Every structure is written in structure tokens, then in C-alpha cells.
């Protein structure tokens, strides 16, 4: 546990970099996939030429996030144990629900109805994404309670941007809205949303590794 507390933010940064680069690296081996319109989970579809690599990579990324939890708890617990539990839950949900479950329970877009694997994948992904959206707000509260108002404001701006883009991504998933040209770029909105959600984690990791 001491080792995980010491190196946890390295694991968090590795998890972010690994998950963020996944579609772009695997996309080199999946030339037919349109990154602008296709969601990332399609890399794990049964017809995907990079399916095995994607599933393994997703689990590895998720494990990095899980390994960062002791360090996150230690950091937040110094200010608030409630915030510490929420932060661990948020990142844990993402690491397990959206990464590890993605690797263990892939989707099949050829099936007209959801099977067990698709149900687990989508529910896990939904819970994980909720934790993903919550984490930047927890950073706002953490730094505010710690008296670091300037950093709190920085994370507040990032949180607002993240939520706005997540809202656009949510709209792009609605069939009646996705017919408009602007919202047809579902993959773009997902990747942009992920980037702005990861940005607070990246900043936090760098701040902690420099201290």
C-alpha cells in the first residue's frame, strides 16, 4: 500500500495517457474506421481488426486507474475523508466500469438486441462516465476547502468546459438530434469530452509529482 501511495500519481498519469492514446494508435491499424463519427468502444466490436488489442489495452488502462486509488485517497483524506471516498469512487468507477468492463464485456453492433455482455458494458460505461464527470468537481471542492482558491477557480473553469462538451456529446447520441450535420460527429465529441475530463487529472498528477 505504501508503494501505491508513493507512486499512485504515476499510475494515474499512465492510465490517462494510455486511455487517451488508445483510439489514435489503434486507429492506425483500423483505416476504415472514421474517428470523427465512431465511438471508441467500436474498436472492441467483434468485427474489429484490433479487437484483441483494444480489449487488453482497456483492461491495462483500467488497472492503472485502480492502482492510483490509494494515493488519491491519501491526498484527499488530508482535507476531507468524504471527498476522499468520493474521489476514489469516481476514479474507481471509471477505471473498472468504463475501462476494465470494456475489456471484459465487449459489444456486438451486429446484434439487433443487447446481450448480457452488451448490458454489462453499457451499464459499466455509463457509471464510469458519471464518475469521470464528477471528478473535476471534486477537485474544485478539494482545493477550495484547502484554501487554494486560485487552483479551485482553474478547476472550476475546466469543470464547466467539460460539462458543456459532455452535454454536446449527450445531444449527439439522441437520434432526432444526431440528424443535424453538426451533431453527426459523435466520435469527435466523445474524444473532445474525454480530453477535457482528463485534463484535470493530468494537471493534478503533474502538481503532485512536482511537489
Amino acid at each position: 500500500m505504501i508503494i501505491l501511495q508513493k507512486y499512485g500519481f504515476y499510475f494515474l498519469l499512465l492510465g490517462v495517457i494510455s486511455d487517451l492514446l488508445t483510439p489514435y494508435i489503434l486507429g492506425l491499424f483500423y483505416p476504415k474506421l472514421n474517428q470523427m463519427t465512431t465511438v471508441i468502444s467500436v474498436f472492441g466490436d467483434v468485427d474489429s481488426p484490433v479487437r484483441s488489442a483494444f480489449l487488453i489495452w482497456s483492461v491495462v488502462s483500467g488497472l492503472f486507474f485502480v492502482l492510483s486509488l490509494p494515493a488519491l485517497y491519501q491526498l484527499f483524506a488530508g482535507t476531507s475523508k468524504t471527498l476522499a471516498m468520493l474521489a476514489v469512487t469516481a476514479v474507481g468507477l471509471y477505471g473498472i466500469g468504463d475501462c476494465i468492463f470494456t475489456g471484459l464485456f465487449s459489444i456486438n453492433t451486429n446484434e439487433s438486441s443487447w446481450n448480457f455482455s452488451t448490458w454489462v458494458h453499457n451499464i459499466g460505461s455509463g457509471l464510469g462516465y458519471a464518475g469521470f464527470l464528477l471528478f473535476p468537481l471534486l477537485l474544485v471542492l478539494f482545493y477550495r476547502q484547502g484554501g487554494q482558491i486560485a487552483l479551485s477557480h482553474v478547476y472550476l473553469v475546466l469543470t464547466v468546459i467539460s460539462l458543456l462538451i459532455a452535454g454536446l456529446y449527450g445531444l449527439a447520441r439522441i437520434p432526432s438530434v444526431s440528424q443535424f450535420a453538426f451533431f453527426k460527429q459523435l466520435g469527435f465529441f466523445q474524444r473532445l469530452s474525454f480530453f477535457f475530463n482528463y485534463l484535470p487529472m493530468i494537471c493534478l498528477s503533474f502538481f503532485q509529482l512536482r511537489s
Side-chain angles (χ1 to χ4, degrees), residues 171-182:
L171 286 173
R173 296 189 70 95
I174 300 174
S176 59
V177 177
S178 62
Q179 298 175 5
F180 296 97
F182 179 74

Side-chain angles (χ1 to χ4, degrees), residues 8-22:
F9 287 100
Y10 286 103
F11 288 125
L12 182 62
L13 194 57
L14 282 172
V16 169
I17 294 171
S18 175
D19 202 41
L20 197 59
L21 292 181
T22 298

Side-chain angles (χ1 to χ4, degrees), residues 87-104:
V88 167
T89 300
V91 176
L93 277 175
Y94 182 72
I96 297 171
D98 205 44
C99 295
I100 294 177
F101 275 15
T102 290
L104 298 179

Side-chain angles (χ1 to χ4, degrees), residues 39 73 78 81-82 90 110 126 129 156 168 171-172 186 189 193-194:
V39 293
Y73 183 84
K81 288 188 176 181
T82 300
N110 292 329
Y129 193 65
L156 179 60
L168 291 175
L171 286 173
L186 183 61
F189 286 120
S193 178
F194 274 26

